[in-house]
């Protein structure tokens, strides 16, 4: 609605100048109509004077005046000129002398013409006609009347002298000037006029000219007879007197035709103007209506488009242009009944640790990578498939009609391979990893929204297996998930109740058998049972409780270490397993450092066990390396956990200031009897030693393994041979006991301190 109002406003705004222009134009046109109306009223008044003039010219009297002539003149003259006009009329009516009365009529007509702006209202072609009507033709009548009047007078005179005789040519000359002027003017003015009315006018003008010639001939005869005349009776006045009414009539006929023509012209102009006004009004109206119609249509289109966009936003992912989860649900809910024998399949893909991509390369590159992945998946989608982005880094390829399950699983594999290929992100070459969860229905089964949860469960299981792994949904996955969900809920309570504690697995000097340290390992004390990390850490990771667990373990371990301070014969090293969160957050590093210092411990005695896999992860490398460097600078003891499984490079071992490597149990178990393993394990030890890095072997279970390790340069061992992880008090007893033992540089063979080696 707002958009519609806004758009209409804009169009009205654009229309406003046109409307102003149009209103000026209309104003002008209405003004013109008004002025034409005024001129028409004036011309009608002048026309009403015509018969009076004609009667006066012919008979010397005015028998009656047209109805309301006086009122009409008063009205026309208004307050300023009505008195003047009425006076002219009265003078005209009262004047006995024909020429003077005619002259008065001529003056009145001129005044009317002036007031009503007759000339300016006329068209270009007829602009001269008012002058004919009010001046030229009446002057001819006046001059002819004077001539006739003189002629009548002369005929009554007795003797006539030269001066009397001179009146005749002088007067005749005056007439000639007026009449010839009229002939010339009519010819000139009428020349360009066209149409039937113009033809009539030209004809009248012809008649007038002929009559004029005849009248002038009569005048010439009168003039010639004057030369020899001695008395008035000798002058040939009769032709002039006789001809004069004909001339008056011809002149008035022409006058009337001229008036008619002018009336017609004014009326034509009036109707043309009115037509233009109506047409303009109509067109303007249509334009306005059309503009509003367009505005409404446009706003509707815009509103529809916006609506469409909103709908698209509702069903489409704006980043990749793919449909979204809502659209998928919509599609699934509207599926036709399942066809017998046909399956339905879904591959749910999630990119691993994508947050790190964003952190390292920026959101912009992250977005472009998501678009690339969308495009890659699209390449493999069949026409019937429905590919959508179901979440931040999650894509789902839905196949409503699946024929071969094995092929569909193969597709999941191919997709993971393609996504994992090296690509250029920003200016760096890097790879992203993904997992896929597959759901395939039983043939003919009608599917519902549950396929999304089932595919997600399969994905979850695949993620736990590691990068590039995929798995097909089995009901056991749902059970595992439900258990995990249950664990997560219980874990929450365990954390609140302080039931997550650290137990400690001692680490001994391989040569002396002396406990030199211990690794803190999380334990869940659940009433009488002890729950081990393998049983709750995956659920904790999934539920986001890892940091809370580490906090609990760390506080417990550090407090325990502080409680032993100064009580042990030699300084104890405390091993803490750290996850990526500590390694990516500088704040977490500061908190740990503060905690250690406040407890009076030395960072050098705190071993931070960092998984080799974390260290070499390319994507996470930069921020993690920076934090490890910082921890090292602060004096912490950096230990590389599960060494051997992650293929760390020599340079990363050196660059990261690793203090000790913990050789993974898989390289220790049976090392004393397996020559192939011996080669590998001794290579690992030699690599560390060549870099001046000390070596701890974990998972040492037998004396044979221990002895082999001792011979091959291992420094410290940890494993069930010595002890399992034990509660703090037990470890304290173990350590404090050592205070009373003689310090032996190297024991030949030491057995288990505790547990079942
Ligand atoms: P890890 O860091 O490799 O810890 C050593 C694991 O090997 C421990 O299992 C320990 O009980 C077991 N182990 C030690 N010696 C032997 C042996 O001789 N034979 C056999 N079979 N096993 C041995 P646990 O305590 O179950 O811990 C498993 C994993 O849980 C740990 O592996 C560690 O990755 C993780 N974990 C435990 N506590 C924490 C913690 O506080 N924070 C983090 N991030 N991870 C923890
Ligand atoms: Ca460890």
């Amino acid at each position: 609605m707002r958009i519609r109002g806004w758009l209409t406003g804009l169009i009205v705004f654009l229309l406003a100048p046109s409307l102003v222009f149009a209103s000026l134009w209309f104003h002008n046109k209405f003004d013109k109509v008004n002025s034409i109306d005024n001129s028409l009223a004036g011309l009608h008044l002048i026309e009403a004077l015509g018969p009076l003039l004609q009667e006066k010219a012919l008979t010397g009297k005015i028998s009656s005046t047209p109805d309301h002539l006086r009122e009409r003149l008063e009205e026309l003259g208004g307050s300023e000129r009505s008195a003047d006009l009425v006076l002219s009329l009265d003078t005209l009516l009262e004047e006995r002398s024909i020429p003077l009365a005619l002259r008065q009529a001529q003056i009145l007509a001129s005044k009317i013409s002036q007031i009503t702006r007759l000339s300016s209202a006329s068209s270009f072609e007829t602009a001269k006609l008012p002058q004919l009507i009010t001046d030229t033709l009446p002057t001819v009548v006046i001059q002819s009347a004077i001539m006739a009047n003189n002629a009548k007078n002369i005929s009554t005179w007795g003797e006539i002298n030269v001066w009397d005789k001179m009146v005749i040519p002088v007067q005749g000359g005056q007439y000639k000037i007026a009449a010839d002027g009229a002939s010339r003017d009519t010819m000139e003015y009428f020349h360009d006029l066209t149409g039937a009315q113009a033809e009539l006018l030209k004809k009248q003008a012809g008649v007038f000219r002929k009559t004029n010639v005849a009248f002038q001939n009569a005048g010439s005869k009168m003039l010639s007879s004057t030369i020899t005349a001695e008395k008035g009776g000798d002058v040939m006045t009769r032709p002039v007197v006789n001809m004069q009414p004909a001339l008056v009539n011809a002149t008035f006929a022409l006058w009337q035709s001229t008036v008619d023509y002018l009336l017609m012209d004014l009326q034509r102009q009036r109707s043309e103007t009115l037509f233009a006004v109506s047409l303009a009004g109509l067109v303007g109206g249509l334009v306005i209506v059309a503009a509003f119609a367009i505005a409404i249509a446009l706003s509707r289109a815009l509103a529809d488009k916006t609506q469409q966009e909103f709908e698209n936003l509702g069903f489409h992912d704006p980043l990749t242009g793919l449909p979204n989860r809502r659209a998928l649900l919509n599609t699934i809910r509207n599926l036709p009944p399942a066809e017998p024998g046909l399956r339905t399949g879904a591959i749910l893909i999630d990119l691993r640790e994508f947050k790190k991509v964003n952190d390292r390369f920026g959101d912009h590159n992250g977005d472009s990578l998501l678009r690339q992945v969308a495009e890659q998946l699209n390449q493999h989608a069949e026409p019937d498939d429905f590919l959508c982005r179901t979440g931040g880094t999650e894509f789902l390829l839905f196949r409503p009609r699946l024929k071969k399950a094995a092929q569909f699983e193969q597709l999941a594999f191919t997709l993971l391979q393609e996504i994992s290929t090296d690509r250029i992100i920003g200016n760096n070459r890097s790879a992203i990893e993904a997992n896929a969860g597959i759901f395939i229905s039983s043939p003919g089964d009608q599917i519902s929204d549950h396929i999304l949860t089932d595919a997600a469960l399969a994905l979850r299981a695949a993620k736990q297996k590691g990068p590039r792994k995929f798995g097909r949904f089995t009901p056991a996955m749902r059970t595992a998930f439900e258990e995990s969900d249950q664990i997560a809920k219980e874990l929450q309570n365990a954390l609140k109740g302080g039931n997550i504690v650290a137990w400690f697995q001692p680490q001994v000097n391989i040569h002396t058998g002396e406990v030199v340290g211990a690794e803190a390992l999380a334990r869940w004390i659940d009433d009488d049972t002890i729950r081990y990390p393998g049983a709750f850490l995956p659920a904790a990771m999934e539920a986001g409780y890892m940091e809370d667990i580490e906090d609990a373990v760390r506080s417990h371990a550090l407090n325990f270490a502080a409680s032993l301070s100064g009580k042990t014969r030699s300084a104890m090293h405390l091993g803490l397993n750290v996850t990526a969160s500590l390694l990516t957050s500088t704040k977490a590093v500061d908190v740990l450092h503060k905690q250690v210092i406040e407890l009076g411990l030395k960072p050098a005695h705190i071993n931070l066990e960092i998984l080799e896999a974390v260290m070499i992860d390319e994507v996470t490398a930069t921020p993690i390396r920076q934090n490890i460097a910082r921890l090292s600078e602060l004096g912490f003891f950096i230990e590389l956990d599960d060494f051997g499984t992650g293929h760390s490079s020599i340079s990363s071992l050196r660059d990261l200031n690793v203090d000790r490597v913990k050789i993974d149990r898989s390289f220790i178990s049976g090392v004393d009897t397996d020559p192939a393993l011996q080669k590998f394990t001794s290579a690992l030890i030699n690599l560390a030693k060549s870099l001046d890095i000390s070596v701890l072997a974990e998972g040492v279970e037998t004396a044979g393994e221990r002895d082999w390790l001792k011979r091959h340069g291992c420094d410290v061992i940890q494993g069930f041979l010595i002890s399992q992880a034990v509660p703090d008090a037990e470890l304290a007893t173990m350590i404090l006991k050592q205070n009373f033992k003689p310090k032996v540089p190297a024991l030949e063979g030491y057995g288990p301190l505790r547990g079942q080696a």
Side-chain angles (χ1 to χ4, degrees), residues 505 519 521-523 533 550 553 577 579 641 665 699 701 719-720:
Q505 186 174 31
E519 177 183 1
L521 293 160
R523 294 292 182 264
E550 281 195 0
V553 170
N577 289 288
T579 44
D641 210 355
R665 186 156 62 92
E701 291 183 349
F720 290 171

Side-chain angles (χ1 to χ4, degrees), residues 371-648:
R371 278 194 287 265
Q372 282 177 26
V373 171
E375 188 46 45
Q376 279 180 315
L377 297 177
N378 211 9
Q379 305 273 321
H380 290 272
E382 288 185 358
D384 271 1
D385 289 353
F386 188 91
L387 176 66
C388 61
R389 184 176 171 209
T390 45
T393 54
E394 258 186 28
F395 296 87
L396 188 137
L397 187 140
F398 175 63
R399 186 161 291 180
R401 295 158 56 84
L402 176 67
K403 286 179 191 128
K404 290 185 180 154
Q407 262 181 15
F408 199 56
E409 286 189 30
Q410 177 61 36
L411 173 63
F413 175 77
T414 311
L415 293 176
L416 291 182
Q417 295 301 311
E418 286 211 5
I419 292 172
S420 309
T421 47
D422 272 12
R423 59 182 85 223
I424 303 295
I425 310 174
N427 292 324
N428 303 280
R429 176 173 291 276
S430 192
I432 45 166
E433 303 280 8
N435 286 106
I438 305 168
F439 170 85
I440 296 174
S441 74
S442 303
D445 266 8
Q446 183 68 34
I447 58 136
S448 67
D449 303 358
H450 74 78
I451 71 152
L452 295 186
T453 1
D454 291 351
L457 287 170
L459 174 65
R460 172 180 174 269
K463 279 182 179 174
Q464 284 168 358
K465 286 193 248 163
R468 297 193 202 191
K469 298 284 190 264
F470 65 95
R472 182 169 161 185
F473 171 77
T474 60
M477 288 175 180
R478 192 177 295 126
T479 317
F481 172 74
E482 282 160 5
E483 277 171 11
S484 167
D485 196 42
Q486 183 59 28
I487 291 169
K489 279 181 198 143
E490 290 171 12
L491 189 59
Q492 205 178 7
N493 292 329
L495 279 162
K496 274 189 208 145
N499 294 331
I500 303 296
V501 299
W503 277 20
F504 301 88
Q505 186 174 31
Q507 297 165 336
V508 300
N509 178 314
I510 199 165
H511 302 290
T512 64
E514 194 182 357
V515 178
V516 290
E519 177 183 1
L521 293 160
R523 294 292 182 264
W524 179 345
I525 314 294
D526 192 5
D527 294 330
D528 296 342
T529 48
I530 309 298
R531 292 168 86 164
Y532 291 84
F536 63 89
L537 284 194
M541 266 181 221
E542 216 169 40
Y545 292 140
M546 232 20 230
E547 272 185 51
D548 295 334
I549 290 177
E550 281 195 0
D551 274 355
V553 170
R554 189 183 310 138
S555 299
H556 184 176
L558 292 177
N559 280 305
F560 171 62
S563 73
L564 285 179
S565 281
K567 295 181 186 156
T568 56
R569 193 150 63 181
S570 47
M572 297 294 296
H573 275 254
L574 182 77
L576 294 175
N577 289 288
V578 291
T579 44
S581 75
L582 176 83
L583 300 173
T584 44
S585 150
T586 17
K587 200 173 155 225
V589 168
D590 291 339
V591 170
L592 172 69
H593 185 238
K594 193 165 169 255
Q595 217 177 355
V596 168
I597 300 298
E598 277 176 2
L599 285 167
L601 299 168
K602 287 196 175 125
H605 296 153
I606 308 299
N607 301 357
L608 300 177
E609 296 191 13
I610 301 164
L611 287 176
E612 188 184 22
V614 171
M615 289 258 223
I616 60 161
D617 183 331
E618 258 199 75
V619 173
T620 55
T622 311
I624 287 184
R625 276 163 194 258
Q626 282 168 354
N627 261 356
I628 294 174
R630 178 121 193 286
L631 284 164
S632 184
E633 273 167 31
L634 290 169
F636 284 100
F637 190 90
I638 307 296
E639 194 154 26
L640 204 56
D641 210 355
D642 297 347
F643 183 59
T645 56
H647 315 292
S648 24

Side-chain angles (χ1 to χ4, degrees), residues 171-192:
Q171 185 52 53
Q174 299 255 341
Y175 168 79
K176 190 174 165 45
I177 293 170
D180 287 353
S183 294
R184 197 181 51 246
D185 286 356
T186 49
M187 196 116 75
E188 185 190 328
Y189 297 166
F190 299 163
H191 182 263
D192 292 335

